[in-house]
Amino acid sequence: MLRIIDARTREPVDAAPARRGLTRVEVHAPGSDTTNLRVLLVGDLLVRTLELGGTPVWALLTGGHRQAELRADAATLGIRPFEDSPDVGAGLGESQVVHVTTEDGAAPDGVRIAVAPAEPGPPHPLDPAVLRLALISRHHRTPLRLEAAALDDAHATLARWRGAVARWARQPSRPVPDDVRDRLRAAWDDDLDVPRVLDVLRQVETEPVLADGARFETYAYADRILGLDLTRDLGAPS
């Protein structure tokens, strides 16, 4: 079960306290800079994690005058669309409301995820998934600067993983090992610890006893959260 650190109390809370109950995820991103893009990306990760666990989600975006620009950048990064946030209160049937905002952002009372600032670096790489990987490589409560070295590392990692996934896909499929699935779930259920998810994938990449078919299924499963299009190169020439 996904538990997040409520920024108001610094205590862990269940993101979906009622089984199969509706959770409203409301992202507060009034600007279009890198920090606001990171806030919306964390909202996307939260929605993906809840949905993978079987929780219905109502995803909303409260923005400002730069919302159109933010939405365009978000679409490029593979962030799924959020509805415009109407003036809503409680009583719509949701069992939980989670607000995702910047560290100093204003939000109504309720459970809140505070996202640390992200400073832009060099121009964005040609492959938007590289930027997405760089943004999720640090925990959302840790400030981030998109330096050239971080982008280069994300580019190399993404290229290596996509190539490996394409190779592994040529082997007989094998299920995700139970212990690997448990480690992945333990990571993303622990306050959306996506960097720990990436560490699990690095371990799976080099674990000598795993069949390649199991590696493929593991990466495809984790990518339902990560959104990095890791299977993009399936069928491409070696």
Side-chain angles (χ1 to χ4, degrees):
M1 177 180 294
L2 172 60
R3 291 176 64 80
I4 56 179
I5 301 299
D6 187 346
R8 304 165 308 151
T9 64
R10 306 297 179 187
E11 296 292 331
V13 298
D14 292 338
R19 182 172 177 80
R20 307 302 182 190
L22 176 67
T23 292
R24 184 193 340 154
V25 173
E26 188 162 352
V27 172
H28 301 263
S32 61
D33 60 9
T34 306
T35 294
N36 281 273
L37 186 61
R38 189 185 194 193
V39 169
L40 189 53
L41 177 54
V42 171
D44 180 63
L45 294 170
L46 175 59
V47 170
R48 288 169 179 263
T49 303
L50 288 168
E51 289 182 340
L52 188 59
T55 298
V57 181
W58 185 19
L60 302 173
L61 172 61
T62 299
H65 66 285
R66 303 292 293 276
Q67 192 176 76
E69 185 176 342
L70 177 65
R71 285 185 180 277
D73 289 342
T76 300
L77 255 62
I79 296 173
R80 292 180 292 184
F82 280 59
E83 294 182 35
D84 289 324
S85 177
D87 185 12
V88 297
L92 294 177
E94 67 266 27
S95 61
Q96 178 75 286
V97 180
V98 180
H99 300 280
V100 186
T101 183
T102 58
E103 288 182 333
D104 57 353
D109 289 339
V111 176
R112 187 176 307 177
I113 295 177
V115 180
E119 298 182 32
H124 292 175
L126 293 178
D127 185 346
V130 172
L131 178 58
R132 183 176 177 112
L133 178 56
L135 284 168
I136 65 177
S137 293
R138 297 289 180 271
H139 195 277
H140 61 265
R141 286 188 278 110
T142 302
L144 171 69
R145 177 172 175 77
L146 293 170
E147 298 177 339
L151 292 170
D152 289 344
D153 181 68
H155 183 273
T157 298
L158 188 63
R160 187 179 74 251
W161 282 357
R162 283 175 170 170
V165 166
R167 292 194 305 275
W168 297 334
R170 301 188 187 104
Q171 303 303 316
S173 179
R174 295 288 186 273
V176 179
D178 290 342
D179 67 311
V180 174
R181 187 185 298 271
D182 289 345
R183 282 185 295 167
L184 289 171
R185 286 176 171 171
W188 63 55
D189 281 346
D190 182 13
D191 197 32
L192 290 174
D193 195 347
V194 177
R196 209 163 101 209
V197 174
L198 299 175
D199 286 342
V200 173
L201 292 187
R202 293 185 184 97
Q203 295 161 11
V204 168
E205 182 182 11
T206 58
E207 175 54 58
V209 301
L210 281 182
D212 284 349
R215 297 185 215 273
F216 169 79
E217 295 295 346
T218 298
Y219 272 64
Y221 175 62
D223 203 35
R224 294 172 66 181
I225 300 291
L226 302 176
L228 296 172
D229 199 11
L230 294 178
T231 60
R232 189 195 68 175
D233 293 342
L234 263 62
S238 301

